[in-house]
Amino acid sequence: MSTGPLSTPATAGPPPLRAADTTPDRPWPVRHLAPKIADYIAKMPPVWVEGQVLNLKKWNTLYFLTLRDTDLDMSLSVTAPASAIDRLADKLADGAHLVVHARPQFHAKKGTLTFAADDVRLVGLGELLARIEHLKGILGAEGLFEPSRKRALPFLPAVVGLIVAQQGDAEHDVVSNARARWSAVQFEIRRVTVQGPRAVPEVSAAIAELDRDPRVDVIVVARGGGSFEDLLPFSNESLVRVAAACRTPLVSAIGHHLDTPLLDLVADFRASTPTDAAKRVVPDVSEERARVTQARLRARAALTMRLTREQTGLDHWRSRPVLVNPTTLVDVHEHRVVALRESARRSLHTALVHGRAEVAGLAAQVRALSPAATLDRGYAVVRRADGHVVRDPAEVAAGDALRIRVARGELAAQVTAP
């Protein structure tokens, strides 16, 4: 009795004609599928494709190489006859840009896909420059190089994010010069590939990672120079857009003079070398202390001068007569007010005396003309009961009641005869 794994044998008979008709019970054998894939791929026309050279090797009359995408981690295997590459052999190396004309081929025995090239062309420096200028125009039109987008570098960063090559002097130049200026500065270092096909994804990932770190105050991308081809990753559109999206201030310190990668244009600050980046990012403690001392001396001198000037002005104003004896201005007016008050009092007194005399005279005249004065001389006023003054005896009749007004009062009377 067998103790091996159980299996269900496929149903006898021809395999299904279409892939959609296959089932677990009626599968296609590999020998049936592989030729179909090969036939399908053989129908594809040749194509021009561009990429970077990787793992270039020669065996007999064939060259084998990997054509890698410059932006993403994708690659194709390419074979080319020696006749198509020998003329470029002295210029061809890993990292070079190629445009190849190739036809896809599927090797049914191994299940691998390769491209058989019949024409290979090296992308020249002029064409690369033209592509960079074209990309520069596109990114510039989007506003990625505008000065208004650039952020100011922090005055004293606590943590500096540093992106450098895995081997090289750039890291030493930045770290040593920065700590010589400010020993307390800390670094968060990411060592990546800075040239070749792996440069763009690794540098982009390092920028994004440091940008997410809340402790990092500024990011420095440093490289110790290189040829134009070595610096091509720093003009890659994908890398430039990652740098443009970085929220942390970014310093580009590629260390070149003749060429300007697009990373320099999108960065918040461009340093000529890694050493220059260290000087720009971290202040010199001795210089800052000297500046503080000078500023303090200037402030003290300015304050002393200001106090002296204000004291002189104050003494000048205090020496004026109006401030020595502040009542000088009001004394004259006080005497005038007192004199006017006395004059007004005398004038009022005189007017009152004259008025009193005039009132007394008028009162005497009133009394002289008053009916009461006539009554005092023995006269009387006779009135009827209705108050009418009797001026003629004919105005009354016998029996009428009368009121007689004398000086000291009134008398009641009655007419006995008219």
Side-chain angles (χ1 to χ4, degrees):
M1 183 176 180
S2 174
T3 58
L6 299 177
S7 61
T8 303
T11 303
L17 295 178
R18 299 184 307 169
D21 296 333
T22 59
T23 66
D25 297 328
R26 300 187 65 196
W28 275 356
V30 174
R31 65 180 179 276
H32 188 79
L33 175 60
K36 290 183 176 292
I37 296 176
D39 292 341
Y40 180 82
I41 292 179
K43 298 176 182 179
M44 295 179 60
V47 61
W48 287 99
V49 61
E50 178 187 354
Q52 280 185 315
V53 176
L54 194 65
N55 300 326
L56 178 64
K57 298 178 182 179
K58 183 179 181 181
W59 185 76
N60 291 335
T61 60
L62 286 178
Y63 277 91
F64 297 88
L65 60 94
T66 299
L67 199 62
R68 185 185 181 93
D69 188 83
T70 56
D71 294 340
L72 300 178
D73 189 13
M74 295 181 180
S75 59
L76 298 172
S77 297
V78 178
T79 61
S83 58
I85 294 185
D86 282 342
R87 57 188 176 85
L88 305 175
D90 58 337
K91 301 179 182 178
L92 200 57
D94 285 358
H97 284 247
L98 284 184
V99 175
V100 301
H101 186 259
R103 179 184 295 276
Q105 292 180 344
F106 182 76
H107 299 278
K109 186 175 181 179
K110 295 183 178 180
T112 58
L113 177 68
T114 61
F115 281 77
D118 55 20
D119 193 359
V120 178
R121 300 182 183 182
L122 186 65
V123 179
L125 179 61
E127 185 174 351
L128 291 175
L129 285 173
R131 293 181 183 180
I132 292 176
E133 285 300 320
H134 178 69
L135 178 59
K136 179 180 178 181
I138 294 176
L139 299 179
E142 295 180 13
L144 298 188
F145 304 147
E146 291 296 326
S148 58
R149 294 186 67 259
K150 299 185 183 299
R151 292 168 291 271
L153 302 182
F155 171 70
L156 186 60
V159 178
V160 176
L162 180 59
I163 301 174
V164 292
Q166 297 177 357
Q167 295 179 350
D169 297 331
E171 177 181 346
H172 176 268
D173 293 343
V174 175
V175 175
S176 60
N177 282 279
R179 286 181 174 164
R181 297 168 64 84
W182 189 270
S183 59
V185 66
Q186 298 181 5
F187 285 90
E188 192 68 24
I189 301 175
R190 297 293 181 272
R191 298 175 180 88
V192 298
T193 303
V194 294
Q195 71 182 58
R198 296 169 52 191
V200 172
E202 291 188 14
V203 175
S204 300
I207 292 176
E209 180 183 355
L210 292 175
D211 188 35
R212 291 191 299 267
D213 192 337
R215 301 174 300 127
V216 176
D217 299 318
V218 62
I219 299 174
V220 178
V221 181
R223 171 184 164 81
S227 65
F228 173 79
E229 290 78 5
D230 294 339
L231 301 180
L232 283 177
F234 298 98
S235 292
N236 181 273
E237 180 178 1
S238 176
L239 175 59
V240 172
R241 292 191 180 278
V242 170
C246 182
R247 296 169 297 177
T248 307
L250 182 69
V251 177
S252 175
I254 306 304
H256 55 88
H257 303 284
L258 299 179
D259 305 306
T260 302
L262 298 184
L263 181 64
D264 281 356
L265 303 180
V266 77
D268 297 300
F269 184 82
R270 173 187 178 271
S272 58
T273 61
T275 300
D276 181 49
K279 295 179 179 179
R280 299 288 185 174
V281 170
V282 179
D284 190 336
V285 61
S286 58
E287 292 181 1
E288 296 303 323
R289 286 174 177 171
R291 291 176 182 175
V292 170
T293 301
Q294 293 175 1
R296 185 168 55 198
L297 293 176
R298 287 196 299 267
R300 180 180 292 118
L303 181 60
T304 301
M305 184 180 299
R306 180 65 179 271
L307 291 175
T308 302
R309 183 170 62 251
E310 296 299 328
Q311 185 64 48
T312 302
L314 183 61
D315 293 341
H316 169 72
W317 288 108
R318 289 180 59 188
S319 64
R320 296 178 67 86
V322 68
L323 293 180
V324 174
N325 187 9
T327 61
T328 300
L329 293 177
V330 298
D331 286 345
V332 176
H333 298 288
E334 181 184 12
H335 297 327
R336 178 178 174 79
V337 170
V338 172
L340 291 175
R341 185 178 60 189
E342 293 300 325
S343 176
R345 183 181 290 114
R346 289 192 298 270
S347 298
L348 180 61
H349 178 72
T350 301
L352 290 175
V353 171
H354 290 170
R356 186 180 296 111
E358 185 176 359
V359 168
L362 293 173
Q365 293 179 11
V366 170
R367 283 195 298 272
L369 298 175
S370 173
T374 304
L375 294 177
D376 287 340
R377 293 197 298 273
Y379 292 93
V381 179
V382 180
R383 293 180 297 175
R384 293 187 307 196
D386 58 2
H388 181 73
V389 178
V390 178
R391 293 180 175 80
D392 190 347
E395 296 178 355
V396 298
D400 289 345
L402 298 175
R403 302 290 296 179
I404 301 173
R405 171 75 177 182
V406 295
R408 299 294 184 267
E410 290 186 353
L411 299 173
Q414 187 175 15
V415 178
T416 56

